[in-house]
Each structure stands twice: as C-alpha cells, then as structure tokens.
PDB file of all heavy atoms in Angstrom:
ATOM      1  N   GLN K   1       0.802  -1.225   0.000  1.00 98.00           N
ATOM      2  CA  GLN K   1       0.000   0.000   0.000  1.00 98.00           C
ATOM      3  C   GLN K   1       0.835   1.276   0.000  1.00 98.00           C
ATOM      4  O   GLN K   1       0.285   2.377  -0.033  1.00 98.00           O
ATOM      5  CB  GLN K   1      -0.934  -0.011   1.213  1.00 98.00           C
ATOM      6  CG  GLN K   1      -1.961  -1.136   1.178  1.00 98.00           C
ATOM      7  CD  GLN K   1      -2.714  -1.288   2.491  1.00 98.00           C
ATOM      8  OE1 GLN K   1      -2.626  -0.435   3.387  1.00 98.00           O
ATOM      9  NE2 GLN K   1      -3.448  -2.381   2.625  1.00 98.00           N
ATOM     10  N   GLY K   2       2.162   1.134   0.058  1.00 98.00           N
ATOM     11  CA  GLY K   2       3.026   2.306   0.001  1.00 98.00           C
ATOM     12  C   GLY K   2       3.202   3.029   1.317  1.00 98.00           C
ATOM     13  O   GLY K   2       3.706   4.160   1.349  1.00 98.00           O
ATOM     14  N   ILE K   3       2.808   2.393   2.415  1.00 98.00           N
ATOM     15  CA  ILE K   3       3.059   2.989   3.726  1.00 98.00           C
ATOM     16  C   ILE K   3       4.562   3.075   3.967  1.00 98.00           C
ATOM     17  O   ILE K   3       5.067   4.018   4.581  1.00 98.00           O
ATOM     18  CB  ILE K   3       2.362   2.175   4.829  1.00 98.00           C
ATOM     19  CG1 ILE K   3       0.842   2.219   4.614  1.00 98.00           C
ATOM     20  CG2 ILE K   3       2.723   2.682   6.217  1.00 98.00           C
ATOM     21  CD1 ILE K   3       0.066   1.266   5.493  1.00 98.00           C
ATOM     22  N   VAL K   4       5.283   2.057   3.477  1.00 98.00           N
ATOM     23  CA  VAL K   4       6.748   2.067   3.459  1.00 98.00           C
ATOM     24  C   VAL K   4       7.193   1.659   2.059  1.00 98.00           C
ATOM     25  O   VAL K   4       6.409   1.136   1.269  1.00 98.00           O
ATOM     26  CB  VAL K   4       7.349   1.109   4.511  1.00 98.00           C
ATOM     27  CG1 VAL K   4       6.988   1.551   5.915  1.00 98.00           C
ATOM     28  CG2 VAL K   4       6.905  -0.333   4.269  1.00 98.00           C
ATOM     29  N   ASP K   5       8.452   1.889   1.769  1.00 98.00           N
ATOM     30  CA  ASP K   5       8.981   1.508   0.453  1.00 98.00           C
ATOM     31  C   ASP K   5       9.428   0.049   0.434  1.00 98.00           C
ATOM     32  O   ASP K   5       9.267  -0.648  -0.576  1.00 98.00           O
ATOM     33  CB  ASP K   5      10.161   2.406   0.084  1.00 98.00           C
ATOM     34  CG  ASP K   5       9.780   3.874   0.082  1.00 98.00           C
ATOM     35  OD1 ASP K   5       8.983   4.268  -0.796  1.00 98.00           O
ATOM     36  OD2 ASP K   5      10.260   4.615   0.970  1.00 98.00           O
ATOM     37  N   LEU K   6       9.997  -0.400   1.558  1.00 98.00           N
ATOM     38  CA  LEU K   6      10.520  -1.756   1.669  1.00 98.00           C
ATOM     39  C   LEU K   6      10.083  -2.336   3.005  1.00 98.00           C
ATOM     40  O   LEU K   6      10.057  -1.620   4.011  1.00 98.00           O
ATOM     41  CB  LEU K   6      12.053  -1.761   1.608  1.00 98.00           C
ATOM     42  CG  LEU K   6      12.715  -1.283   0.317  1.00 98.00           C
ATOM     43  CD1 LEU K   6      14.028  -0.573   0.629  1.00 98.00           C
ATOM     44  CD2 LEU K   6      12.984  -2.458  -0.615  1.00 98.00           C
ATOM     45  N   SER K   7       9.753  -3.619   3.016  1.00 98.00           N
ATOM     46  CA  SER K   7       9.423  -4.234   4.302  1.00 98.00           C
ATOM     47  C   SER K   7       9.886  -5.682   4.329  1.00 98.00           C
ATOM     48  O   SER K   7       9.951  -6.363   3.304  1.00 98.00           O
ATOM     49  CB  SER K   7       7.928  -4.152   4.601  1.00 98.00           C
ATOM     50  OG  SER K   7       7.178  -4.943   3.705  1.00 98.00           O
ATOM     51  N   TRP K   8      10.192  -6.121   5.529  1.00 97.00           N
ATOM     52  CA  TRP K   8      10.688  -7.481   5.805  1.00 97.00           C
ATOM     53  C   TRP K   8       9.501  -8.288   6.300  1.00 97.00           C
ATOM     54  O   TRP K   8       8.965  -8.025   7.369  1.00 97.00           O
ATOM     55  CB  TRP K   8      11.794  -7.385   6.842  1.00 97.00           C
ATOM     56  CG  TRP K   8      12.678  -8.560   7.019  1.00 97.00           C
ATOM     57  CD1 TRP K   8      13.645  -9.012   6.165  1.00 97.00           C
ATOM     58  CD2 TRP K   8      12.745  -9.418   8.171  1.00 97.00           C
ATOM     59  NE1 TRP K   8      14.300 -10.085   6.720  1.00 97.00           N
ATOM     60  CE2 TRP K   8      13.767 -10.368   7.949  1.00 97.00           C
ATOM     61  CE3 TRP K   8      12.029  -9.484   9.374  1.00 97.00           C
ATOM     62  CZ2 TRP K   8      14.094 -11.350   8.868  1.00 97.00           C
ATOM     63  CZ3 TRP K   8      12.356 -10.463  10.292  1.00 97.00           C
ATOM     64  CH2 TRP K   8      13.374 -11.383  10.033  1.00 97.00           C
ATOM     65  N   VAL K   9       9.082  -9.254   5.503  1.00 96.00           N
ATOM     66  CA  VAL K   9       7.796  -9.932   5.703  1.00 96.00           C
ATOM     67  C   VAL K   9       7.998 -11.395   6.066  1.00 96.00           C
ATOM     68  O   VAL K   9       8.813 -12.082   5.441  1.00 96.00           O
ATOM     69  CB  VAL K   9       6.951  -9.848   4.410  1.00 96.00           C
ATOM     70  CG1 VAL K   9       5.632 -10.595   4.567  1.00 96.00           C
ATOM     71  CG2 VAL K   9       6.724  -8.397   4.006  1.00 96.00           C
ATOM     72  N   ASN K  10       7.244 -11.864   7.057  1.00 93.00           N
ATOM     73  CA  ASN K  10       7.154 -13.298   7.311  1.00 93.00           C
ATOM     74  C   ASN K  10       5.805 -13.761   6.766  1.00 93.00           C
ATOM     75  O   ASN K  10       4.770 -13.551   7.398  1.00 93.00           O
ATOM     76  CB  ASN K  10       7.248 -13.602   8.804  1.00 93.00           C
ATOM     77  CG  ASN K  10       7.273 -15.102   9.081  1.00 93.00           C
ATOM     78  OD1 ASN K  10       6.798 -15.912   8.282  1.00 93.00           O
ATOM     79  ND2 ASN K  10       7.829 -15.491  10.214  1.00 93.00           N
ATOM     80  N   PRO K  11       5.782 -14.393   5.572  1.00 93.00           N
ATOM     81  CA  PRO K  11       4.507 -14.824   4.993  1.00 93.00           C
ATOM     82  C   PRO K  11       3.744 -15.788   5.888  1.00 93.00           C
ATOM     83  O   PRO K  11       2.515 -15.872   5.802  1.00 93.00           O
ATOM     84  CB  PRO K  11       4.931 -15.501   3.680  1.00 93.00           C
ATOM     85  CG  PRO K  11       6.231 -14.847   3.329  1.00 93.00           C
ATOM     86  CD  PRO K  11       6.909 -14.647   4.658  1.00 93.00           C
ATOM     87  N   GLY K  12       4.444 -16.498   6.760  1.00 86.00           N
ATOM     88  CA  GLY K  12       3.797 -17.439   7.657  1.00 86.00           C
ATOM     89  C   GLY K  12       2.946 -16.787   8.725  1.00 86.00           C
ATOM     90  O   GLY K  12       2.157 -17.464   9.394  1.00 86.00           O
ATOM     91  N   TYR K  13       3.079 -15.465   8.894  1.00 86.00           N
ATOM     92  CA  TYR K  13       2.272 -14.756   9.881  1.00 86.00           C
ATOM     93  C   TYR K  13       0.849 -14.477   9.388  1.00 86.00           C
ATOM     94  O   TYR K  13       0.011 -14.004  10.153  1.00 86.00           O
ATOM     95  CB  TYR K  13       2.937 -13.433  10.272  1.00 86.00           C
ATOM     96  CG  TYR K  13       4.095 -13.577  11.239  1.00 86.00           C
ATOM     97  CD1 TYR K  13       4.829 -12.475  11.640  1.00 86.00           C
ATOM     98  CD2 TYR K  13       4.469 -14.819  11.751  1.00 86.00           C
ATOM     99  CE1 TYR K  13       5.900 -12.589  12.530  1.00 86.00           C
ATOM    100  CE2 TYR K  13       5.532 -14.951  12.634  1.00 86.00           C
ATOM    101  CZ  TYR K  13       6.239 -13.831  13.021  1.00 86.00           C
ATOM    102  OH  TYR K  13       7.289 -13.950  13.898  1.00 86.00           O
ATOM    103  N   THR K  14       0.620 -14.712   8.102  1.00 88.00           N
ATOM    104  CA  THR K  14      -0.726 -14.513   7.538  1.00 88.00           C
ATOM    105  C   THR K  14      -1.150 -15.834   6.892  1.00 88.00           C
ATOM    106  O   THR K  14      -1.086 -15.992   5.674  1.00 88.00           O
ATOM    107  CB  THR K  14      -0.735 -13.372   6.514  1.00 88.00           C
ATOM    108  OG1 THR K  14       0.339 -13.547   5.582  1.00 88.00           O
ATOM    109  CG2 THR K  14      -0.566 -12.032   7.204  1.00 88.00           C
ATOM    110  N   ALA K  15      -1.569 -16.760   7.723  1.00 85.00           N
ATOM    111  CA  ALA K  15      -1.882 -18.119   7.276  1.00 85.00           C
ATOM    112  C   ALA K  15      -2.905 -18.119   6.151  1.00 85.00           C
ATOM    113  O   ALA K  15      -3.929 -17.448   6.228  1.00 85.00           O
ATOM    114  CB  ALA K  15      -2.400 -18.937   8.454  1.00 85.00           C
ATOM    115  N   GLY K  16      -2.596 -18.876   5.093  1.00 91.00           N
ATOM    116  CA  GLY K  16      -3.519 -19.053   3.990  1.00 91.00           C
ATOM    117  C   GLY K  16      -3.426 -18.010   2.900  1.00 91.00           C
ATOM    118  O   GLY K  16      -3.994 -18.185   1.823  1.00 91.00           O
ATOM    119  N   ARG K  17      -2.690 -16.939   3.133  1.00 95.00           N
ATOM    120  CA  ARG K  17      -2.644 -15.849   2.147  1.00 95.00           C
ATOM    121  C   ARG K  17      -1.684 -16.147   0.998  1.00 95.00           C
ATOM    122  O   ARG K  17      -1.919 -15.715  -0.137  1.00 95.00           O
ATOM    123  CB  ARG K  17      -2.235 -14.547   2.834  1.00 95.00           C
ATOM    124  CG  ARG K  17      -2.323 -13.349   1.911  1.00 95.00           C
ATOM    125  CD  ARG K  17      -2.133 -12.056   2.657  1.00 95.00           C
ATOM    126  NE  ARG K  17      -2.274 -10.910   1.784  1.00 95.00           N
ATOM    127  CZ  ARG K  17      -2.144  -9.640   2.176  1.00 95.00           C
ATOM    128  NH1 ARG K  17      -1.897  -9.369   3.449  1.00 95.00           N
ATOM    129  NH2 ARG K  17      -2.278  -8.648   1.314  1.00 95.00           N
ATOM    130  N   PHE K  18      -0.612 -16.872   1.296  1.00 97.00           N
ATOM    131  CA  PHE K  18       0.392 -17.183   0.279  1.00 97.00           C
ATOM    132  C   PHE K  18       0.599 -18.701   0.215  1.00 97.00           C
ATOM    133  O   PHE K  18       1.634 -19.216   0.648  1.00 97.00           O
ATOM    134  CB  PHE K  18       1.712 -16.475   0.605  1.00 97.00           C
ATOM    135  CG  PHE K  18       1.582 -14.993   0.850  1.00 97.00           C
ATOM    136  CD1 PHE K  18       1.659 -14.473   2.134  1.00 97.00           C
ATOM    137  CD2 PHE K  18       1.351 -14.127  -0.209  1.00 97.00           C
ATOM    138  CE1 PHE K  18       1.530 -13.114   2.372  1.00 97.00           C
ATOM    139  CE2 PHE K  18       1.220 -12.758   0.012  1.00 97.00           C
ATOM    140  CZ  PHE K  18       1.307 -12.243   1.308  1.00 97.00           C
ATOM    141  N   PRO K  19      -0.385 -19.430  -0.299  1.00 97.00           N
ATOM    142  CA  PRO K  19      -0.317 -20.892  -0.233  1.00 97.00           C
ATOM    143  C   PRO K  19       0.873 -21.497  -0.974  1.00 97.00           C
ATOM    144  O   PRO K  19       1.443 -22.486  -0.515  1.00 97.00           O
ATOM    145  CB  PRO K  19      -1.645 -21.344  -0.852  1.00 97.00           C
ATOM    146  CG  PRO K  19      -2.148 -20.158  -1.616  1.00 97.00           C
ATOM    147  CD  PRO K  19      -1.651 -18.966  -0.890  1.00 97.00           C
ATOM    148  N   ILE K  20       1.261 -20.919  -2.105  1.00 98.00           N
ATOM    149  CA  ILE K  20       2.417 -21.472  -2.830  1.00 98.00           C
ATOM    150  C   ILE K  20       3.677 -21.294  -1.990  1.00 98.00           C
ATOM    151  O   ILE K  20       4.441 -22.243  -1.778  1.00 98.00           O
ATOM    152  CB  ILE K  20       2.576 -20.812  -4.212  1.00 98.00           C
ATOM    153  CG1 ILE K  20       1.399 -21.178  -5.119  1.00 98.00           C
ATOM    154  CG2 ILE K  20       3.902 -21.264  -4.868  1.00 98.00           C
ATOM    155  CD1 ILE K  20       1.400 -20.465  -6.454  1.00 98.00           C
ATOM    156  N   TYR K  21       3.888 -20.077  -1.497  1.00 98.00           N
ATOM    157  CA  TYR K  21       5.099 -19.817  -0.721  1.00 98.00           C
ATOM    158  C   TYR K  21       5.179 -20.679   0.527  1.00 98.00           C
ATOM    159  O   TYR K  21       6.278 -21.010   0.993  1.00 98.00           O
ATOM    160  CB  TYR K  21       5.174 -18.340  -0.327  1.00 98.00           C
ATOM    161  CG  TYR K  21       6.519 -17.955   0.232  1.00 98.00           C
ATOM    162  CD1 TYR K  21       7.572 -17.647  -0.623  1.00 98.00           C
ATOM    163  CD2 TYR K  21       6.760 -17.942   1.603  1.00 98.00           C
ATOM    164  CE1 TYR K  21       8.825 -17.329  -0.123  1.00 98.00           C
ATOM    165  CE2 TYR K  21       8.003 -17.624   2.109  1.00 98.00           C
ATOM    166  CZ  TYR K  21       9.035 -17.321   1.242  1.00 98.00           C
ATOM    167  OH  TYR K  21      10.281 -17.025   1.736  1.00 98.00           O
ATOM    168  N   SER K  22       4.036 -21.069   1.063  1.00 97.00           N
ATOM    169  CA  SER K  22       4.053 -21.837   2.308  1.00 97.00           C
ATOM    170  C   SER K  22       4.665 -23.224   2.133  1.00 97.00           C
ATOM    171  O   SER K  22       4.896 -23.919   3.127  1.00 97.00           O
ATOM    172  CB  SER K  22       2.643 -21.952   2.902  1.00 97.00           C
ATOM    173  OG  SER K  22       1.781 -22.685   2.067  1.00 97.00           O
ATOM    174  N   ALA K  23       4.987 -23.622   0.916  1.00 98.00           N
ATOM    175  CA  ALA K  23       5.765 -24.859   0.725  1.00 98.00           C
ATOM    176  C   ALA K  23       7.103 -24.747   1.434  1.00 98.00           C
ATOM    177  O   ALA K  23       7.667 -25.750   1.892  1.00 98.00           O
ATOM    178  CB  ALA K  23       5.982 -25.139  -0.763  1.00 98.00           C
ATOM    179  N   THR K  24       7.616 -23.525   1.565  1.00 97.00           N
ATOM    180  CA  THR K  24       8.903 -23.320   2.240  1.00 97.00           C
ATOM    181  C   THR K  24       8.807 -23.602   3.731  1.00 97.00           C
ATOM    182  O   THR K  24       9.828 -23.760   4.397  1.00 97.00           O
ATOM    183  CB  THR K  24       9.405 -21.879   2.039  1.00 97.00           C
ATOM    184  OG1 THR K  24       8.516 -20.957   2.686  1.00 97.00           O
ATOM    185  CG2 THR K  24       9.474 -21.541   0.555  1.00 97.00           C
ATOM    186  N   GLU K  25       7.577 -23.656   4.269  1.00 96.00           N
ATOM    187  CA  GLU K  25       7.372 -23.915   5.691  1.00 96.00           C
ATOM    188  C   GLU K  25       7.240 -25.408   6.002  1.00 96.00           C
ATOM    189  O   GLU K  25       7.256 -25.796   7.172  1.00 96.00           O
ATOM    190  CB  GLU K  25       6.112 -23.203   6.175  1.00 96.00           C
ATOM    191  CG  GLU K  25       6.156 -21.694   6.005  1.00 96.00           C
ATOM    192  CD  GLU K  25       4.827 -21.038   6.339  1.00 96.00           C
ATOM    193  OE1 GLU K  25       3.912 -21.754   6.805  1.00 96.00           O
ATOM    194  OE2 GLU K  25       4.692 -19.825   6.133  1.00 96.00           O
ATOM    195  N   LEU K  26       7.081 -26.235   4.966  1.00 97.00           N
ATOM    196  CA  LEU K  26       6.924 -27.668   5.199  1.00 97.00           C
ATOM    197  C   LEU K  26       8.167 -28.221   5.896  1.00 97.00           C
ATOM    198  O   LEU K  26       9.295 -27.913   5.495  1.00 97.00           O
ATOM    199  CB  LEU K  26       6.699 -28.404   3.880  1.00 97.00           C
ATOM    200  CG  LEU K  26       5.379 -28.102   3.168  1.00 97.00           C
ATOM    201  CD1 LEU K  26       5.385 -28.720   1.762  1.00 97.00           C
ATOM    202  CD2 LEU K  26       4.191 -28.614   3.968  1.00 97.00           C
ATOM    203  N   PRO K  27       7.991 -29.025   6.942  1.00 97.00           N
ATOM    204  CA  PRO K  27       9.162 -29.531   7.671  1.00 97.00           C
ATOM    205  C   PRO K  27       9.960 -30.560   6.873  1.00 97.00           C
ATOM    206  O   PRO K  27       9.434 -31.209   5.961  1.00 97.00           O
ATOM    207  CB  PRO K  27       8.543 -30.162   8.925  1.00 97.00           C
ATOM    208  CG  PRO K  27       7.136 -30.459   8.558  1.00 97.00           C
ATOM    209  CD  PRO K  27       6.720 -29.436   7.553  1.00 97.00           C
ATOM    210  N   PHE K  28      11.236 -30.663   7.232  1.00 97.00           N
ATOM    211  CA  PHE K  28      12.138 -31.699   6.711  1.00 97.00           C
ATOM    212  C   PHE K  28      12.354 -31.606   5.193  1.00 97.00           C
ATOM    213  O   PHE K  28      12.520 -32.610   4.516  1.00 97.00           O
ATOM    214  CB  PHE K  28      11.629 -33.098   7.088  1.00 97.00           C
ATOM    215  CG  PHE K  28      11.088 -33.190   8.478  1.00 97.00           C
ATOM    216  CD1 PHE K  28       9.799 -33.621   8.725  1.00 97.00           C
ATOM    217  CD2 PHE K  28      11.867 -32.809   9.563  1.00 97.00           C
ATOM    218  CE1 PHE K  28       9.285 -33.688  10.016  1.00 97.00           C
ATOM    219  CE2 PHE K  28      11.371 -32.859  10.859  1.00 97.00           C
ATOM    220  CZ  PHE K  28      10.072 -33.299  11.075  1.00 97.00           C
ATOM    221  N   MET K  29      12.364 -30.375   4.663  1.00 97.00           N
ATOM    222  CA  MET K  29      12.590 -30.174   3.233  1.00 97.00           C
ATOM    223  C   MET K  29      14.031 -29.755   2.932  1.00 97.00           C
ATOM    224  O   MET K  29      14.609 -30.168   1.938  1.00 97.00           O
ATOM    225  CB  MET K  29      11.637 -29.115   2.681  1.00 97.00           C
ATOM    226  CG  MET K  29      10.169 -29.492   2.733  1.00 97.00           C
ATOM    227  SD  MET K  29       9.745 -30.822   1.575  1.00 97.00           S
ATOM    228  CE  MET K  29       9.793 -29.939   0.031  1.00 97.00           C
ATOM    229  N   SER K  30      14.598 -28.904   3.800  1.00 97.00           N
ATOM    230  CA  SER K  30      15.932 -28.357   3.526  1.00 97.00           C
ATOM    231  C   SER K  30      16.804 -28.430   4.768  1.00 97.00           C
ATOM    232  O   SER K  30      16.317 -28.272   5.891  1.00 97.00           O
ATOM    233  CB  SER K  30      15.821 -26.895   3.069  1.00 97.00           C
ATOM    234  OG  SER K  30      17.099 -26.333   2.863  1.00 97.00           O
ATOM    235  N   ASP K  31      18.086 -28.676   4.565  1.00 96.00           N
ATOM    236  CA  ASP K  31      19.029 -28.712   5.687  1.00 96.00           C
ATOM    237  C   ASP K  31      20.091 -27.620   5.578  1.00 96.00           C
ATOM    238  O   ASP K  31      21.101 -27.646   6.273  1.00 96.00           O
ATOM    239  CB  ASP K  31      19.700 -30.088   5.783  1.00 96.00           C
ATOM    240  CG  ASP K  31      20.520 -30.430   4.545  1.00 96.00           C
ATOM    241  OD1 ASP K  31      20.602 -29.592   3.611  1.00 96.00           O
ATOM    242  OD2 ASP K  31      21.085 -31.545   4.497  1.00 96.00           O
ATOM    243  N   ASP K  32      19.879 -26.639   4.702  1.00 97.00           N
ATOM    244  CA  ASP K  32      20.882 -25.592   4.468  1.00 97.00           C
ATOM    245  C   ASP K  32      20.144 -24.304   4.106  1.00 97.00           C
ATOM    246  O   ASP K  32      19.552 -24.207   3.034  1.00 97.00           O
ATOM    247  CB  ASP K  32      21.809 -26.015   3.330  1.00 97.00           C
ATOM    248  CG  ASP K  32      22.904 -25.003   3.023  1.00 97.00           C
ATOM    249  OD1 ASP K  32      22.722 -23.813   3.331  1.00 97.00           O
ATOM    250  OD2 ASP K  32      23.937 -25.398   2.461  1.00 97.00           O
ATOM    251  N   ASN K  33      20.189 -23.325   4.997  1.00 96.00           N
ATOM    252  CA  ASN K  33      19.416 -22.115   4.703  1.00 96.00           C
ATOM    253  C   ASN K  33      20.090 -21.210   3.686  1.00 96.00           C
ATOM    254  O   ASN K  33      19.404 -20.489   2.949  1.00 96.00           O
ATOM    255  CB  ASN K  33      19.152 -21.326   5.989  1.00 96.00           C
ATOM    256  CG  ASN K  33      20.375 -20.590   6.496  1.00 96.00           C
ATOM    257  OD1 ASN K  33      21.434 -21.188   6.688  1.00 96.00           O
ATOM    258  ND2 ASN K  33      20.254 -19.288   6.730  1.00 96.00           N
ATOM    259  N   VAL K  34      21.417 -21.224   3.595  1.00 98.00           N
ATOM    260  CA  VAL K  34      22.100 -20.328   2.659  1.00 98.00           C
ATOM    261  C   VAL K  34      21.787 -20.744   1.222  1.00 98.00           C
ATOM    262  O   VAL K  34      21.276 -19.946   0.415  1.00 98.00           O
ATOM    263  CB  VAL K  34      23.616 -20.315   2.911  1.00 98.00           C
ATOM    264  CG1 VAL K  34      24.317 -19.441   1.870  1.00 98.00           C
ATOM    265  CG2 VAL K  34      23.920 -19.803   4.314  1.00 98.00           C
ATOM    266  N   ASN K  35      22.069 -21.998   0.887  1.00 98.00           N
ATOM    267  CA  ASN K  35      21.721 -22.475  -0.442  1.00 98.00           C
ATOM    268  C   ASN K  35      20.218 -22.656  -0.600  1.00 98.00           C
ATOM    269  O   ASN K  35      19.671 -22.520  -1.696  1.00 98.00           O
ATOM    270  CB  ASN K  35      22.445 -23.798  -0.730  1.00 98.00           C
ATOM    271  CG  ASN K  35      23.921 -23.596  -0.963  1.00 98.00           C
ATOM    272  OD1 ASN K  35      24.345 -22.568  -1.479  1.00 98.00           O
ATOM    273  ND2 ASN K  35      24.727 -24.555  -0.571  1.00 98.00           N
ATOM    274  N   GLY K  36      19.560 -22.955   0.519  1.00 98.00           N
ATOM    275  CA  GLY K  36      18.116 -23.120   0.479  1.00 98.00           C
ATOM    276  C   GLY K  36      17.397 -21.846   0.073  1.00 98.00           C
ATOM    277  O   GLY K  36      16.426 -21.882  -0.689  1.00 98.00           O
ATOM    278  N   THR K  37      17.862 -20.689   0.567  1.00 98.00           N
ATOM    279  CA  THR K  37      17.206 -19.440   0.195  1.00 98.00           C
ATOM    280  C   THR K  37      17.470 -19.080  -1.264  1.00 98.00           C
ATOM    281  O   THR K  37      16.620 -18.477  -1.917  1.00 98.00           O
ATOM    282  CB  THR K  37      17.652 -18.284   1.106  1.00 98.00           C
ATOM    283  OG1 THR K  37      19.076 -18.227   1.155  1.00 98.00           O
ATOM    284  CG2 THR K  37      17.099 -18.437   2.494  1.00 98.00           C
TER     285      THR K  37
END
C-alpha cells in the first residue's frame, strides 16, 4: 500500500494468504538455509 517503500515480511504470519510460498514452511525439506534461500 506504500506505507513504506521496503518491508521485511514473514509470509507465515498470515496463514492461507500465500499458499504457494508456504511450501517453504513444510518440515524436513531443507538442511541448508544459505543455499536453500
């Protein structure tokens, strides 16, 4: 909405809003956050 220019968002804080992205929340998928991101 332009209240800020940039924001740091946790999509998991709004359950159901970003269903595709929530695949990243599934447990036991990745063991490395640097390459994982």
